[in-house]
Amino acid sequence: MGERIGYLDFLRVAAMCAILVLHVAATNFDFVEVGSFAWQVFNAYGGMVRWAVPVFVMISGVLFLNKPISLPKLYSRYVLKMVIVFFFWGIVYCVLQTHTLKLRNILEGHFHLWFILMITGLYICTPVLKEIAAKKSVACYFLALAFVFAYAVPGAILISRDFFNGHFAQTFSSLAKNVSTMNMSVVMGYSSYFVLGKVLHDADFSSSQRKLIYAAGVLGLVLTVALNALCSIKNHQTSQHYFQWISFNVLLESVGVFVFFKYHAPKNGSVQKIVLKLSELSLGVYVVHIFILDLFGKLGLGTLLFNPVFSVPVIAAALFLASLAVSFVISCIPLAKKYII
């Protein structure tokens, strides 16, 4: 949309790689003993890359909320494409996995296509969110409400339930009921990341402020990994409680990564050209990578084949290259490039 914002291409490619690491690490996460070495490695990798989806949403927020876009263009160019992407790849995965073509299976979509529906919903809400983001004071108020009702309060409630008993937990249970009754859904969910992307892009942070943001990002990463591990070990089963995209700890991770790339993305022209091409192929990589990951599994190329400290990044790198190759081939077909990747 309009002029390119260089660091966003680097962010998009980094987030795409993080998604692949996430899905590779998840392949055996539920099949190894909780607390074992392999489990701890998968948990660590999974926690380190939770920022990927929020950052993708924040990138879209920068691009869609900073540029004028008419409703006809919004629907004909962006919403329509996402709808086509969802149904086309839903059909592909339905045929590949079930060897049938049932409408119900197509509508349910393959698990990773949820992102396509979520981002489509944000595209549809763009005119409304743009009004919120247009005025800094309104945007900050919106984000403050989101921080309280979507991140801080739910996070405190979750921690109280997972790690505390008695009166303290009962108090937070009552708080949860009251918050639910307030029905603050307007500031819940991914719209907060969408608006946050524009706010962070427009803001100018001093060196000392950036250091605080990076420190908070590291804290978020540590909390994500540690809390998820402690909760899982406590309950003797793998938990995903602290891996949720809409959570206080993942928010800290995501902001830290976004701001870091904003100020430290490489400025080298040759590197930027390569990253731009990779960025253009990122949607294709996303939609095809699960098929290739499943193929890897059938070929015996799994994360337990050798030390998971090394197997996860090695397999993720191979997955990226293979998915990139497939995405590139598809992009050579004009209509396919325009509508399905």
Side-chain angles (χ1 to χ4, degrees):
M1 294 180 62
E3 66 175 300
R4 301 199 66 86
I5 303 173
Y7 79 92
L8 294 183
D9 290 315
F10 283 91
L11 254 179
R12 185 180 287 110
V13 174
M16 188 67 262
C17 292
I19 286 289
L20 301 191
V21 170
L22 174 65
H23 287 162
V24 168
T27 53
N28 286 304
F29 194 29
D30 291 326
F31 303 107
V32 293
E33 182 182 355
V34 174
S36 65
F37 173 75
W39 188 93
Q40 294 284 9
V41 172
F42 297 146
N43 183 69
Y45 275 121
M48 286 190 292
V49 295
R50 300 314 292 187
W51 52 268
V53 166
V55 162
F56 266 130
V57 176
M58 290 158 73
I59 291 170
S60 294
V62 175
L63 296 175
F64 279 79
L65 300 179
N66 264 319
K67 298 289 182 181
I69 177 172
S70 65
L71 275 177
K73 183 179 180 180
L74 177 67
Y75 276 86
S76 63
R77 182 173 177 181
Y78 300 105
V79 173
L80 177 62
K81 176 173 180 175
M82 289 296 100
V83 170
I84 293 173
V85 167
F86 177 80
F87 277 100
F88 177 84
W89 291 103
I91 291 170
V92 169
Y93 280 98
C94 182
V95 171
L96 289 174
Q97 294 194 331
T98 68
H99 307 293
T100 62
L101 202 57
K102 294 181 179 180
L103 180 59
R104 176 184 174 183
N105 292 337
I106 295 170
L107 290 174
E108 287 178 350
H110 198 267
F111 79 89
H112 72 306
L113 296 180
W114 76 271
F115 178 84
I116 304 300
L117 290 179
M118 180 270 290
I119 206 70
T120 302
L122 289 175
Y123 288 176
I124 292 171
C125 293
T126 292
V128 176
L129 295 175
K130 184 174 290 186
E131 292 299 315
I132 293 173
K135 192 172 182 180
K136 185 178 179 181
S137 60
V138 176
C140 289
Y141 179 65
F142 176 83
L143 292 176
L145 290 177
F147 179 78
V148 173
F149 290 100
Y151 298 94
V153 172
I157 292 170
L158 185 61
I159 290 175
S160 73
R161 289 175 176 172
D162 286 341
F163 298 105
F164 297 93
N165 296 311
H167 179 71
F168 184 74
Q170 292 173 7
T171 299
F172 272 92
S173 179
S174 299
L175 176 61
K177 181 179 179 180
N178 291 339
V179 170
S180 177
T181 303
M182 291 176 71
N183 194 23
M184 297 293 292
S185 56
V186 69
V187 295
M188 309 289 271
Y190 295 93
S191 59
S192 58
Y193 282 124
F194 204 68
V195 174
L196 180 60
K198 181 185 185 305
V199 170
L200 292 177
H201 172 75
D202 293 344
D204 186 20
F205 298 103
S206 66
S207 177
S208 58
Q209 288 173 327
R210 294 199 298 270
K211 289 177 182 178
L212 287 174
I213 291 171
Y214 302 153
V218 173
L219 174 63
L221 186 157
V222 171
L223 287 174
T224 302
V225 174
L227 290 175
N228 206 66
L230 290 171
C231 180
S232 299
I233 293 171
K234 177 177 179 287
N235 296 315
H236 306 290
Q237 62 179 10
T238 298
S239 169
Q240 299 285 338
H241 286 179
Y242 300 94
F243 277 3
Q244 299 300 312
W245 313 117
I246 309 296
S247 63
F248 174 73
N249 43 290
V250 173
L251 171 67
L252 294 180
E253 276 191 63
S254 305
V255 172
V257 170
F258 188 96
V259 173
F260 178 83
F261 274 86
K262 176 182 175 180
Y263 286 95
H264 299 287
K267 300 293 192 292
N268 181 279
S270 299
V271 174
Q272 287 181 331
K273 288 179 180 178
I274 295 172
V275 171
L276 170 58
K277 186 60 180 178
L278 295 177
S279 176
E280 291 173 345
L281 295 171
S282 61
L283 178 58
V285 171
Y286 182 80
V287 292
V288 306
H289 82 278
I290 293 297
F291 166 73
I292 297 173
L293 183 58
D294 289 343
L295 183 61
F296 281 3
K298 293 175 182 177
L299 295 173
L301 186 59
T303 52
L304 296 177
L305 188 61
F306 52 100
N307 190 320
V309 172
F310 305 106
S311 67
V312 171
V314 168
I315 294 174
L319 179 61
F320 177 73
L321 293 175
S323 302
L324 188 65
V326 174
S327 181
F328 174 76
V329 170
I330 296 173
S331 73
C332 294
I333 306 170
L335 282 177
K337 180 179 181 179
K338 183 176 181 179
Y339 290 110
I340 66 171
I341 64 167

